[in-house]
Every structure is written in structure tokens, then in C-alpha cells.
Amino acid sequence: GEVARRVAGFTKRPRAYKTAVISVTSGQGTITGFAQAVCAILRHESVEAFVTDAADVDGLYEASLLGADMVFMADDARFAALGLFDRAAADNGACTGAGFAEALICAMGAHREKVLVLGASAVGGAAAAYLLQKGLPVDLYDIDARTLSRAHLPYEGATKLKEPPRLAKYRYIYDATTSAGFITAGDVSGKTIIAAPGMPCGITGEARNIATVIHNPLELGVLTMYYTCAQRMEAGEGRR
């Protein structure tokens, strides 16, 4: 929660927003337990959160009737938090990218070295942009050259790598891929710190016993979404 608030620019907890989590049945359908897991994460952060009985548009209608300020919804294309009254929105890919980037910065302490970002799509691109905004140089690599070339990095200090990097030369790594177990014990040392939001986790068990690994499947992304949306809701209130 503290890391998520740092991303959103809060120095203390903002006022709580009643939040509904709504299941969506379109596309490949609902993931069993997903809405309940998101709700539990929000409640752990003392958010008044609930899962609607209904799904889809009917769930959105239920959330509105029950006085929700914010809703969380996910389909095959997007997982988003939406402010019902303030035209505020937060996307999971961007928020997960920024949240784990901030966690990596916190773990660095006084060190400010180059970060290798693996994966240049939504999460990795957002992570690279966040790190660059904070003044950290970034090497960015993606196995798909087209994805790498399309990555938009609005700040200076980035190098797009054309060849696969030698992982062992980097102290700080951000793994935004969805490849399992490709970072091995030979790629890390006791000083290596890896932020790894991807599922499945790209670091082998052996490597995790050596390096410091920041990884969780859902928690940091969800809380960064909540606080980012809250910040935008508060900004909307200030404009009125």
C-alpha cells in the first residue's frame, strides 16, 4: 500500500472510496475467485469493498445503487478501475508497471544504476517510462523486435537493445515477460534485485534463493490502480 501511494503521489492515506468489484462474463468468461481476490486485497488496505451479486452491466447498475464511488472490472482486453462520478480511470498494465518500478526504486536505496527492463509491451513499457521519469537509465529488450520498436519512451535515458542482454552484468532487472524460469542462478548474484510482476514468474527457484525478488501475483497492481484512480478522482473534485 505504501508503494502504491508513492506512485499516486499520496504522502498519507487519502479518504476511502467505497469500491465495487464486478465480474464480467464476456469473452472467455469470469476467472473463478478473481473478483473475490481483488476485493480481499482492497479490504486488507481498509477499503470498503464488495463484490456485486450481478455481473456485467447489471453489476454496474447494482454498484451504483449501493453507492460505490469506484468500480473494478476486467475482461479479456483490460482490467481497470473506474471512478463512477469523476471520469477517473486507472489501467492495470500501466499501474502494475509503475508499481513494481517504484518497488524496485525503494529496494535500491541510495543506489541509482541502470535497470534492465525485459518486455516492452504494456507493463514493461510503463515500467521503463516510470524509471526514466525518476531519472534512472534503462536498457529495454523484447524478444519481439516489432514490440520493441513500437515502445514509446517519453523521457531520455533509454537504450533499446537489439540483441539479448547478458543478464549477469545487471544489478537491477525488471522482468515484465510471461516466460517461466529463464533467469537462472548463473544470471544473478547476492546483490541482484529483480522486480517481477509477470505470471508465471521468470526466475527459477535456485535464482530466487540468491537474488532479492519482488514478486506477487495481484496485490501491488490492484492497490496501485486503486490509489491512482483515487488521485484522479480527487483531482476531478478540485476542478469542480
Side-chain angles (χ1 to χ4, degrees):
E2 182 181 349
V3 172
R5 289 192 294 273
R6 287 171 68 101
V7 174
F10 288 116
T11 56
K12 59 182 179 180
R13 289 178 187 267
R15 75 174 181 87
Y17 290 93
K18 188 174 182 179
T19 302
V21 186
I22 304 168
S23 297
V24 176
T25 62
S26 67
Q28 297 187 45
T30 59
I31 300 172
T32 302
F34 179 78
Q36 289 74 21
V38 171
C39 184
I41 291 165
L42 293 168
R43 285 179 175 174
H44 185 75
E45 190 67 3
S46 301
V47 176
E48 184 184 354
F50 63 98
V51 178
T52 58
D53 292 326
D56 304 322
V57 174
D58 198 22
L60 188 60
Y61 181 73
E62 179 187 341
S64 179
L65 287 181
L66 293 175
D69 304 301
M70 189 188 304
V71 298
F72 277 67
M73 302 178 72
D75 62 11
D76 295 356
R78 190 178 298 276
F79 176 26
L82 306 170
L84 287 185
F85 310 108
D86 298 273
R87 297 196 300 272
D91 170 72
N92 177 256
C95 289
T96 297
F100 277 84
E102 179 60 39
L104 184 60
I105 291 171
C106 291
M108 287 180 177
H111 295 279
R112 285 294 182 268
E113 296 177 24
K114 180 176 289 186
V115 179
L116 172 64
V117 177
L118 301 170
S121 55
V123 174
Y130 188 89
L131 292 164
L132 291 166
Q133 183 185 16
K134 297 297 183 179
L136 293 168
V138 168
D139 281 354
L140 180 64
Y141 176 73
D142 197 289
I143 196 169
D144 186 333
R146 290 175 298 178
T147 300
L148 182 63
S149 66
R150 288 195 298 263
H152 174 61
L153 301 173
Y155 306 98
E156 294 182 355
T159 301
K160 294 182 179 181
L161 303 178
K162 296 181 180 179
E163 300 295 331
R166 188 169 69 86
L167 303 183
K169 68 177 272 193
Y170 294 91
R171 182 173 180 177
Y172 303 108
I173 300 173
Y174 191 112
D175 173 25
T177 73
T178 54
S179 299
F182 72 96
I183 301 177
T184 66
D187 297 319
V188 301
S189 72
K191 294 183 178 181
T192 306
I193 302 177
I194 306 172
M199 293 290 287
C201 187
I203 306 113
T204 65
E206 252 188 324
R208 274 181 271 176
N209 287 333
I210 299 168
T212 297
V213 178
I214 304 164
H215 173 76
N216 60 60
L218 199 57
E219 294 93 319
L220 183 51
V222 165
L223 293 183
T224 306
M225 290 169 69
Y226 173 79
Y227 283 117
T228 298
C229 192
Q231 187 277 328
R232 291 169 181 169
M233 289 169 72
E234 293 197 355
E237 290 174 358
R239 288 193 296 269
R240 288 200 296 271

